[in-house]
Amino acid sequence: MALRRPTVVLLDIEGTTTSISFVKDTLFPYARENVEAFLADKANQEAASAAVALLRQQATEDVNEDLEGAVAIPEGHVADSTVLAAAVQNVHWQMSIDRKTTALKSLQGQIWQKAYQDGVIKGHLYDDVEPALRTWKDQGIKIYIYSSGSIKAQKLLFGHSQQGDIKPLLSGYFDTTTGHKREAESYVKIAQAIDTDPATVLFLTDVVQEARAAKAAGMNAVLSVRPGNTELDQAARDEFQTITSFEQLAFAPEQPSVGDTRPAPESEGTQQDAEEANTESTGATKRLRSQ
């Protein structure tokens, strides 16, 4: 079934443009294994101090909410062995339960940056993604990213992908600083930020709860079914169109708005011909009356 042609395509990353296995088997283990060395090496830099401050703030909230396993981070400089150990333990705990807090994502993005820049990691994209993005851009469709990963991490992935730097194909990025991906208000904010009617936005994701949130905000949503993604139940498949490749997305030709009864504008030549015909008809009528 052809979809109404959108003005904007909003893309999830994990399970949509990029394999979940790349995130779980490459990015996450690298961050986990290198977090201590990264913080120790960058201890005297503002970025590391800011990252630990965010972790500490999140940890305080988690402890106050009696979140099981939450690891508090004491006040102090990150170079302090006690602070460093607690920060590392906190990161490992958050990753072990697959949390997607802004504090964690921000630090992970910093750790991955050096790996991407050194060529240790190349961002994975499905083969159908880059050609589809080029086609949509050529059609005048704007493409944005909305991922739980930080904007820094998003830019790194698309800037150091296996297909090269494809950032020029993208119009912008959103992460959890805008809001949680399973809340409709987040999608309302995105539509407002890009000054676009939600009804003209198509959101692609592999998570049905995210699709429902986007739908509640007035957007159209399609579910991505990729290898390794969580299996969709029949209710989700009945509610949303599903695709296994971006190549399967077909957009219907643009149609006039419902209720727009205005005639199509005439070309200059057509309008002139109509006026000449009307003049000839009027003259003929006058001659008949004079006979």
Side-chain angles (χ1 to χ4, degrees), residues 146 181 183-191 203 210 213-214 217 219:
Y146 182 28
K181 295 183 69 182
E183 296 178 358
E185 181 62 24
S186 302
Y187 299 87
V188 172
K189 289 180 179 178
I190 289 174
F203 178 52
E210 295 175 3
M219 294 182 182

Side-chain angles (χ1 to χ4, degrees), residues 151-171:
I151 289 176
K152 176 188 284 289
Q154 296 173 32
K155 290 181 176 180
L156 287 169
L157 190 154
F158 290 105
H160 299 271
S161 79
Q162 295 167 348
Q163 288 78 21
D165 182 2
I166 67 167
K167 294 197 308 297
L169 300 178
L170 304 174
S171 295

Side-chain angles (χ1 to χ4, degrees), residues 37-86:
F38 175 84
L39 289 176
D41 184 56
K42 308 290 185 182
N44 293 317
Q45 297 183 15
E46 178 61 29
S49 297
V52 172
L54 280 176
L55 287 172
R56 182 182 292 114
Q57 180 180 350
Q58 181 65 58
T60 300
E61 293 177 8
D62 294 340
V63 170
N64 289 340
E65 293 176 3
D66 294 324
L67 196 59
E68 184 178 355
V71 179
I73 301 175
E75 294 291 338
H77 195 276
V78 66
D80 184 300
S81 59
T82 303
V83 175
L84 177 61

Side-chain angles (χ1 to χ4, degrees), residues 115-284:
Y116 277 117
Q117 292 174 341
D118 292 346
V120 176
I121 295 176
K122 290 286 186 182
H124 171 265
L125 296 176
Y126 288 109
D127 292 340
D128 55 275
V129 172
E130 186 261 352
L133 267 56
R134 291 193 182 278
T135 297
W136 297 339
K137 185 176 177 63
D138 289 344
Q139 293 174 346
I141 298 172
K142 293 184 178 180
I143 306 161
Y144 291 85
I145 304 298
Y146 182 28
S147 173
S148 57
S150 68
I151 289 176
K152 176 188 284 289
Q154 296 173 32
K155 290 181 176 180
L156 287 169
L157 190 154
F158 290 105
H160 299 271
S161 79
Q162 295 167 348
Q163 288 78 21
D165 182 2
I166 67 167
K167 294 197 308 297
L169 300 178
L170 304 174
S171 295
Y173 309 81
F174 295 92
D175 60 14
T176 53
T177 59
T178 296
H180 294 296
K181 295 183 69 182
R182 300 188 182 194
E183 296 178 358
E185 181 62 24
S186 302
Y187 299 87
V188 172
K189 289 180 179 178
I190 289 174
Q192 292 172 341
I194 61 179
D195 193 23
T196 301
D197 180 355
T200 67
V201 178
L202 174 62
F203 178 52
L204 304 182
T205 180
D206 64 310
V207 180
V208 66
Q209 293 88 344
E210 295 175 3
R212 286 174 178 151
K215 182 180 177 182
M219 294 182 182
N220 296 306
V222 169
L223 288 173
S224 171
V225 180
R226 301 284 197 178
N229 286 9
T230 300
E231 185 69 26
L232 297 174
D233 60 25
Q234 192 57 49
R237 292 177 178 274
D238 290 341
E239 185 176 357
F240 296 99
Q241 179 177 338
T242 62
I243 57 170
T244 58
S245 167
F246 285 5
E247 295 175 344
Q248 296 173 331
L249 283 173
F251 300 140
E254 294 186 46
Q255 299 292 331
S257 299
V258 175
D260 186 355
T261 59
R262 294 173 295 176
E266 297 174 328
S267 67
E268 184 177 342
T270 302
Q271 184 173 357
Q272 182 177 352
D273 291 344
E275 290 174 351
E276 291 176 353
N278 183 58
T279 300
E280 291 175 0
S281 176
T282 302

